[in-house]
Amino acid sequence: MMSSLAHTLFSRNYAMSRQAFLAAAQARGLAVDSYILDLPGVEGETLATDVVLDGPEDAENLIITISGVHGVEGYPGSAIQKGLLEMGPLNERNTAVLHVHAINPWGFSWSHRTTQENVDLNRNFVDFNQTLPANERYSEIHDLLLPASWPPPVDSEDKLRELAKLWGAKGFQCAVSLGQYRFADGLHYGGDKPTWSNDTFRAILRRYATRCRRIGSLDIHTGLGPYGYGERIFGCEDEGISVKRARDWWGDTITSVNTGSSTSVPLTGPIQAALFRECEQAQQTNICLEYGTYPQSQTVLAMRGAHWLTRYGSDDPRQCAAIRQTLKDAFNPQDPWWQEAIWAQGKLVFQQAVAGINRNQD
């Protein structure tokens, strides 16, 4: 049975999600720092990344929540942020919470995983002054993933299955989703320069997160893993003391892309890279909270359809609407049980982070 709180947290579109977040902050008397993107939303609404600091600016401990890195995945993150605001202030005098709502507002509004530049934001935090990471296997499958017609023809799917068998499940997943910097119209394109969302996130960190001594971050995503389960994926740059600290906070449920225990694979240019570059003064304990929706074959096909539409376009408005709705449904199930599970786990993970960061005072 849905709790009365969980029932109110999830919104139907970006505009409603934003208004709910702003209203929750206003009800608490908290200031909102809005970074406006100079593009219209799908209904002409203002697009913005909204930031709320809940707690003292000089707190030594800072918990950061991030929603909407992958646009259309923003609904659960937004719901969790609203719920956390409605819970009231922390009872920890030296800890603050920084809510970064809809860091990719264009994708959130227009039901895309990418930014307005068609960039996967979670592959965009690389050093563009250096040689960009290579993903040669993606080059072999780009045209198979996004064939000239949609739905994809049988021969394209047969060739993809052959390569998946040849490379193995993880090898094929890496080829598709590791990140690539060659095909601007392809899947998981990391871009050729920092996006607006990249620049905005770095500006937010410089404004709010350069004085604290300890950071714990929760980057909220959907689309991988068992239905309704929130996988705690380790998001730091080492497998030593940081992962031990993460397990102290969240237990042995912590998984790692580097050891192969996660449903995800290592990514090039994830958003956590900005935390390490901009907040070098802080001890960091970062995770991606990844909520499962549907089987990976279904979510990847939905992503492919959306990218196909971007690459080729369509004169059929019904096909366009169906492709966009399929993507939205794949990453944001309209299921009360799923929504309840998302909120319950999000609340718990947050509370564990607060307790953990106040235990680790060294």
Side-chain angles (χ1 to χ4, degrees):
M1 182 176 179
M2 287 278 285
S3 72
S4 58
L5 175 59
H7 181 69
T8 68
L9 298 181
F10 289 81
S11 301
R12 293 195 300 272
N13 55 43
Y14 162 76
M16 294 177 67
S17 294
R18 183 183 185 222
Q19 288 305 312
F21 178 76
L22 297 178
Q26 183 179 27
R28 289 276 315 283
L30 298 173
V32 179
D33 186 12
S34 296
Y35 296 73
I36 306 298
L37 174 61
D38 190 21
L39 289 172
V42 69
E43 297 178 356
E45 75 272 22
T46 297
L47 297 182
T49 294
D50 297 298
V51 180
V52 170
L53 181 67
D54 187 359
E57 288 193 15
D58 61 351
E60 291 189 341
N61 302 327
L62 184 64
I63 303 292
I64 303 175
T65 72
I66 309 165
S67 67
V69 168
H70 282 144
V72 71
E73 298 179 20
Y75 294 94
S78 176
I80 290 170
Q81 290 171 322
K82 178 175 183 283
L84 295 178
L85 284 171
E86 291 180 347
M87 284 171 55
L90 296 177
N91 293 319
E92 301 288 349
R93 63 181 179 83
N94 200 30
T95 302
V97 184
L98 184 70
H99 295 296
V100 182
H101 183 270
I103 190 59
N104 172 11
W106 186 89
F108 199 160
S109 176
W110 287 90
S111 295
H112 281 264
R113 289 182 79 253
T114 65
T115 67
Q116 65 272 17
E117 300 97 340
N118 196 45
V119 167
D120 184 322
L121 183 59
N122 225 24
R123 313 296 189 277
N124 187 239
F125 289 88
V126 296
D127 185 349
F128 287 99
N129 294 316
Q130 303 295 323
T131 300
L132 295 177
N135 183 354
E136 296 304 328
R137 281 184 170 176
Y138 182 84
S139 302
E140 298 183 43
I141 59 176
H142 175 65
D143 288 325
L144 296 175
L145 291 169
L146 304 175
S149 62
W150 197 265
V154 173
D155 61 335
S156 293
E157 299 304 279
D158 287 343
K159 291 176 183 176
L160 286 173
R161 279 190 286 269
E162 290 175 8
L163 289 172
K165 185 176 180 180
L166 177 65
W167 295 340
K170 282 291 185 180
F172 187 78
Q173 186 181 358
C174 282
V176 175
S177 61
L178 175 69
Q180 56 86 20
Y181 300 83
R182 177 179 173 186
F183 300 91
D185 58 356
L187 272 68
H188 301 294
Y189 175 59
D192 59 4
K193 61 185 177 181
T195 61
W196 178 90
S197 293
N198 182 326
D199 290 337
T200 298
F201 187 63
R202 292 179 184 276
I204 291 166
L205 294 179
R206 289 192 292 268
R207 166 69 178 84
Y208 293 98
T210 57
R211 294 187 296 276
C212 58
R213 292 183 58 194
R214 287 167 290 273
I215 289 175
S217 72
L218 313 175
D219 176 26
I220 304 162
H221 290 260
T222 65
L224 285 176
Y227 187 80
Y229 175 70
E231 181 183 352
R232 288 78 159 160
I233 305 174
F234 182 65
C236 294
E237 293 184 330
D238 70 86
E239 289 289 339
I241 191 152
S242 294
V243 74
K244 291 180 182 178
R245 189 168 54 248
R247 288 184 176 133
D248 174 64
W249 292 17
W250 293 291
D252 291 336
T253 58
I254 289 291
T255 64
S256 170
V257 297
N258 298 317
T259 63
S261 60
S262 173
T263 58
S264 181
V265 295
L267 310 178
T268 55
I271 195 169
Q272 287 79 14
L275 284 161
F276 290 105
R277 300 293 85 79
E278 302 294 340
C279 308
E280 293 181 346
Q281 86 290 345
Q283 176 195 83
Q284 299 195 29
T285 314
N286 307 319
I287 62 168
C288 169
L289 183 55
E290 177 78 51
Y291 288 104
T293 56
Y294 300 108
Q296 193 171 349
S297 58
Q298 184 175 339
T299 57
V300 171
L301 187 63
M303 289 169 51
R304 291 171 60 193
H307 278 276
W308 175 86
L309 191 60
T310 298
R311 186 182 191 191
Y312 294 104
S314 173
D315 294 328
D316 183 349
R318 291 177 299 179
Q319 182 184 38
C320 295
I323 287 173
R324 293 191 180 104
Q325 189 63 48
T326 296
L327 183 74
K328 185 175 180 180
D329 292 342
F331 290 93
N332 181 41
Q334 296 301 295
D335 173 4
W337 182 90
W338 188 84
Q339 294 177 341
E340 174 72 14
I342 269 54
W343 165 238
Q345 292 172 86
K347 176 183 175 181
L348 174 62
V349 168
F350 173 78
Q351 291 172 329
Q352 290 171 325
V354 173
I357 205 169
N358 280 281
R359 284 198 302 271
N360 298 130
Q361 298 297 315
D362 296 331

